[in-house]
């Protein structure tokens, strides 16, 4: 099983915040973030494990250069009725819940830049911290100000498109991780963790605090809190149950080299080399007949959580959900599609 260790150190970053006329912060972009120390993290992190957090004269020069570049980007935006300002954000411990908009955005950046893994830092209460914004082609706008902003934009001869109204923006407006393909950027939220070699197709989706720990094909839904192991394929229309909106408290992990078939779904952790056939949704309470070594045992699917080498299928005549030992390969990912470069 995939083991994700909690991270308790702090983090810091210089960023550019969007501040509304009432003084509220709408969003923050951090072009470069750092952990206060170097805890263990996944091998594809963009910061080498043996690299200490930058200090001293070199760090001071880099900090000063970035600060001046961000200062040059500060401005008043009369169309959106906002201003952009430099912010210096510091978090004492990532084990504590996010306290401010700046804090929350830094945590989401840490995830999408692959400096921390999903489920390794606290995001408790993040919905209460993040504002709901209208995400437009010109940047974040307070929802009540969209109509006026559109009028001001038209008067200036500038088109204004609203891509969505939500707390979370799309990841690619803030972070574009190396070695990843995303067919429809609207379907990946900031705070998603996508490893090199991952392909997210047009109908694929990845929520914040979730993602892939290796090369994966994502044509279905990776919900909040879900992690998918290397070499696994989430088929078209497939869904992995998260912990939001009645999903319970169990955070689902999909092991390595698994296949969740088209329009299938899963609400239990899977070990390595598991297959769920197309169209079958396996929840924790699903009654499953385990067929092994000539024996037949009926149990709840939750009792098979984390077991490797299982094929979940529905008997075509009886309709019974069955789990049978799975050997061999389901063909695996096409290496040419998942090359990181």
């Amino acid at each position: 099983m995939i083991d994700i260790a909690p991270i308790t150190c702090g983090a810091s970053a210089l960023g550019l915040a969007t501040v509304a006329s009432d003084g509220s912060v709408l969003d923050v972009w951090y072009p470069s973030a750092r952990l206060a120390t170097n805890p263990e993290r996944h091998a594809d992190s963009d910061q080498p494990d043996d690299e200490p957090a930058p200090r001293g004269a070199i760090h001071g020069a880099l900090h000063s250069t970035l600060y001046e570049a961000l200062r040059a980007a500060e401005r008043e935006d009369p169309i959106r009725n906002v201003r952009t300002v430099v912010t210096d954000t510091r978090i004492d411990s990532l084990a504590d819940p996010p306290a401010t908009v700046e804090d929350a955005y830094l945590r989401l950046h840490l995830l999408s830049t692959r400096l921390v893994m999903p489920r390794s830092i606290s995001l408790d209460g993040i919905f209460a911290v993040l504002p709901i914004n209208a995400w437009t082609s010109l940047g974040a706008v307070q929802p009540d100000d969209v109509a006026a902003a559109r009028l001001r934009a038209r008067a200036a001869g500038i088109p204004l498109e609203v891509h969505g109204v939500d707390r979370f923006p799309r990841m690619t407006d803030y972070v574009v991780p190396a070695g990843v393909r995303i067919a429809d950027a609207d379907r990946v939220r900031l705070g998603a963790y996508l490893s090199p070699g991952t392909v997210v197709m047009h109908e694929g989706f990845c929520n914040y605090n979730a993602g892939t720990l290796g090369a994966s094909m994502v044509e279905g839904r990776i919900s909040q809190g879900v992690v998918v192991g290397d070499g696994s394929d989430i088929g078209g229309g497939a869904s992995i149950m998260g912990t939001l909106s009645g999903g319970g408290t169990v955070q689902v992990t999909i092991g390595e080299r698994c296949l969740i078939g088209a329009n299938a779904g899963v609400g239990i952790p899977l070990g390595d080399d598991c297959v769920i056939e197309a169209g079958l949704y396996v929840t924790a309470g699903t009654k499953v007949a385990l067929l092994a070594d000539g024996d037949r045992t009926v149990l709840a699917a939750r009792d098979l959580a984390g077991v490797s080498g299982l094929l979940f299928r529905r008997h075509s005549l009886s309709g019974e959900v069955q789990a049978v030992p799975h050997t061999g390969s389901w063909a695996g990912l096409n290496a040419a599609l998942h090359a990181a470069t």
Side-chain angles (χ1 to χ4, degrees):
M1 291 292 291
I2 297 168
D3 184 27
I4 299 176
I7 292 177
T8 60
C9 69
S12 63
L14 285 173
L16 201 63
T18 305
V19 181
S21 59
D22 62 4
S24 59
V25 177
L26 304 187
D27 74 331
V28 187
W29 170 56
Y30 296 104
S32 179
R34 289 284 176 175
L35 297 176
T37 61
N38 273 9
E40 292 185 78
R41 64 179 71 94
H42 195 248
D44 62 26
S45 167
D46 292 338
Q47 184 177 340
D49 289 338
D50 58 355
E51 179 185 336
R55 296 181 177 88
I58 294 177
H59 174 48
L62 292 173
H63 188 279
S64 177
T65 300
L66 178 58
Y67 177 77
E68 292 303 322
L70 291 173
R71 278 293 305 272
E74 289 186 322
R75 66 189 181 94
E76 299 284 338
D77 186 336
I79 291 179
R80 291 188 292 148
N81 195 27
V82 302
R83 56 192 174 93
T84 52
V85 299
V86 175
T87 180
D88 188 346
T89 303
R90 299 177 186 274
I91 300 172
D92 291 333
S93 173
L94 291 166
D96 296 331
T100 64
V101 175
E102 295 93 330
D103 179 330
Y105 267 87
L106 178 50
R107 293 171 196 249
L108 297 176
H109 278 72
L110 291 172
L111 285 161
S112 289
T113 54
R114 304 192 291 242
L115 288 175
V116 301
M117 293 174 65
R119 306 190 326 216
S120 68
I121 63 175
S122 175
L123 295 174
D124 295 343
I126 194 168
F127 282 93
V129 173
L130 293 178
I132 296 176
N133 294 324
W135 302 105
T136 80
S137 52
L138 301 180
V141 177
Q142 289 184 311
D144 291 344
D145 204 23
V146 169
R150 182 176 283 118
L151 180 59
R152 292 190 290 264
R154 291 196 176 194
I158 300 173
L160 184 146
E161 298 178 359
V162 178
H163 304 303
V165 181
D166 194 12
R167 299 185 192 277
F168 293 82
R170 54 190 180 190
M171 180 182 72
T172 54
D173 289 339
Y174 299 79
V175 176
V176 179
V180 169
R181 291 170 52 201
I182 301 172
D184 186 348
D186 284 338
R187 301 184 66 83
V188 179
R189 276 174 153 181
L190 181 64
Y193 181 110
L194 301 179
S195 290
T198 293
V199 176
V200 183
M201 293 302 293
H202 296 78
E203 293 304 314
F205 171 81
C206 189
N207 211 336
Y208 76 99
N209 197 34
T212 61
L213 305 185
S216 293
M217 173 63 79
V218 182
E219 298 179 276
R221 179 181 180 86
I222 300 179
S223 300
Q224 193 278 144
V226 172
V227 293
V228 176
D230 184 37
S232 291
D233 186 318
I234 313 304
S239 178
I240 307 171
M241 189 179 293
T243 55
L244 299 176
S245 300
T249 59
V250 175
Q251 293 180 307
V252 175
T253 298
I254 304 300
E256 298 184 354
R257 301 174 302 279
C258 291
L259 171 64
I260 301 179
N263 296 316
V266 61
I268 62 169
L270 297 181
D272 299 334
D273 301 296
C274 289
V275 174
I276 297 181
E277 74 167 12
L280 175 62
Y281 207 120
V282 180
T283 64
T286 300
K287 296 302 181 183
V288 179
L290 176 62
L291 309 179
D293 300 323
D295 295 328
R296 179 179 182 275
T297 305
V298 177
L299 66 171
R302 65 171 60 89
D303 296 324
L304 297 174
V307 177
S308 295
L310 289 179
L311 163 63
F312 292 86
R313 68 189 185 191
R314 187 181 296 278
H315 193 281
S316 61
L317 296 179
S318 68
E320 179 182 64
V321 178
Q322 300 175 340
V324 299
H326 172 67
T327 59
S329 172
W330 51 269
L333 300 179
N334 184 330
L337 295 178
H338 297 270
T341 57

